[in-house]
Amino acid sequence: MAEANFDVPPPPHGMEGNDPEALSSQQQDKLWDFKINTRIANEYYLREHPEVEILLGEFMRSVLLKKPKNIREYAAEYYTDAKLPEKIQRKLYEWEKMLKQQ
């Protein structure tokens, strides 16, 4: 029986495994810096745009409540609903109101 290697996780389905020697140490450092800076920039963006969290959260809530059979079709209908901007604006107002009360 082959022994499992727990040091390296298996690649995601349909992808090749990582090649740790593909990048030089300088390239790895630059990639690491890029990843960190990207995460920081994303965090700033999400803090400036709370509607993104509301959009995703309300969609997930709706999916979990309705449990649609065809999630792609449901998502297309959900995000093309003409009333969606109004719903999100209302939720954003409620969210901001709640924050002010704290």
Side-chain angles (χ1 to χ4, degrees):
M1 186 161 125
E3 211 174 292
N5 182 357
F6 293 105
D7 296 334
V8 179
H13 178 70
M15 295 182 70
E16 293 183 15
N18 290 335
D19 180 0
E21 296 174 6
L23 300 176
S24 69
S25 62
Q26 184 181 9
Q27 290 172 319
Q28 289 175 354
D29 289 344
K30 284 184 179 183
L31 179 59
W32 182 253
D33 289 343
F34 174 77
K35 286 180 178 182
I36 299 246
N37 289 329
T38 300
R39 286 182 183 174
I40 291 170
N42 289 345
E43 183 66 28
Y44 280 126
Y45 182 84
L46 291 174
R47 287 181 186 199
E48 290 175 10
H49 298 281
E51 65 273 17
V52 173
E53 184 177 344
I54 292 170
L55 264 168
L56 296 173
E58 288 299 308
F59 173 71
M60 288 301 298
R61 180 179 167 276
S62 179
V63 165
L64 294 172
L65 287 173
K66 296 184 179 182
K67 296 181 179 26
K69 291 198 184 287
N70 186 332
I71 190 74
R72 290 180 181 154
E73 190 174 298
Y74 182 77
E77 290 173 12
Y78 183 90
Y79 284 111
T80 57
D81 179 3
K83 295 179 183 175
L84 183 60
E86 188 180 304
K87 291 177 186 177
I88 298 305
Q89 193 62 40
R90 191 173 340 107
K91 288 286 184 182
L92 184 59
Y93 173 76
E94 291 170 6
W95 182 76
E96 288 172 345
K97 187 177 172 183
M98 182 190 69
L99 284 179
K100 287 180 184 176
Q101 290 176 352
Q102 291 181 353

